[in-house]
Amino acid sequence: MEEQEDELQQSNYEGVIKSANRSANWRERLEAVKALSEWNNRQVIEVLTRIMNNDAVYTVQEAAYNTLKGHGENVQLPPRKRGELIKGTAKILIRIKKSLPQGHPFQAFKEKLQKMRSDVYDTYEGEKGAEFDTWLEETWASLRTK
């Protein structure tokens, strides 16, 4: 019985580590960071430190920081990133807008971005929160395609 519990715990642990590394789903990474608070070992500390220092979504960085502090680690929260969260975002958005027919509606652009570059969509959605749709529509309207 105890062996089965250990195997289940190990498979949960491995699943949480995989979820923490999924670049196209900030909500899943956030949940993984919360779940990692149950374990306190070197691998968890390394994963959380990497997330805290490198995740594109600041909410996820903050959660990793708080978990590390809860584990007694001496860490500092990195400053919020300014500008493009993913290198080349402007070019990516222009390419998507150009690939759609002239005069396309915003919703078509939004859907194509989500399908073609879910990592970009997800990162900005996580970072912008409730203002995401407004930001994306304003950005779409301002993109020059000529």
Side-chain angles (χ1 to χ4, degrees), residues 2-49:
E2 195 173 302
E3 196 173 301
Q4 285 178 328
E5 284 182 29
D6 286 347
E7 284 178 27
L8 181 60
Q9 180 116 7
Q10 184 62 27
S11 90
N12 285 346
Y13 175 78
E14 289 168 7
V16 169
I17 295 291
K18 282 182 184 177
S19 293
N21 292 318
R22 291 226 165 78
S23 64
N25 191 332
W26 72 272
R27 287 180 185 85
E28 190 173 342
R29 289 193 313 276
L30 183 60
E31 289 304 312
V33 166
K34 291 175 183 176
L36 287 172
S37 67
E38 296 177 26
W39 294 283
N40 189 357
N41 61 47
R42 188 59 17 225
Q43 184 181 12
V44 167
I45 299 304
E46 288 171 7
V47 168
L48 290 171
T49 301

Side-chain angles (χ1 to χ4, degrees), residues 3-5 11 22 26 30 32 34 37 59 65 68-69 77 84 87 101-102 108 113 117 123 129 134 138 140-141:
E3 196 173 301
Q4 285 178 328
E5 284 182 29
S11 90
R22 291 226 165 78
W26 72 272
L30 183 60
K34 291 175 183 176
S37 67
T59 304
Y65 166 79
L68 286 165
K69 286 298 262 188
L77 183 62
E84 287 188 336
K87 188 177 180 182
Q102 188 85 15
L113 172 62
R117 290 301 304 264
T123 297
T134 303
E138 287 171 359
W140 165 76

Side-chain angles (χ1 to χ4, degrees), residues 96-109:
I96 290 171
K97 186 170 183 176
K98 281 183 171 182
S99 74
L100 292 164
Q102 188 85 15
H104 64 271
F106 165 69
Q107 195 60 36
F109 172 79

Side-chain angles (χ1 to χ4, degrees), residues 109-126:
F109 172 79
K110 182 179 175 185
E111 288 170 9
K112 188 154 188 182
L113 172 62
Q114 190 172 18
K115 286 178 188 167
M116 287 183 66
R117 290 301 304 264
S118 61
D119 60 329
V120 173
Y121 185 95
D122 183 74
T123 297
Y124 281 91
E125 180 194 36

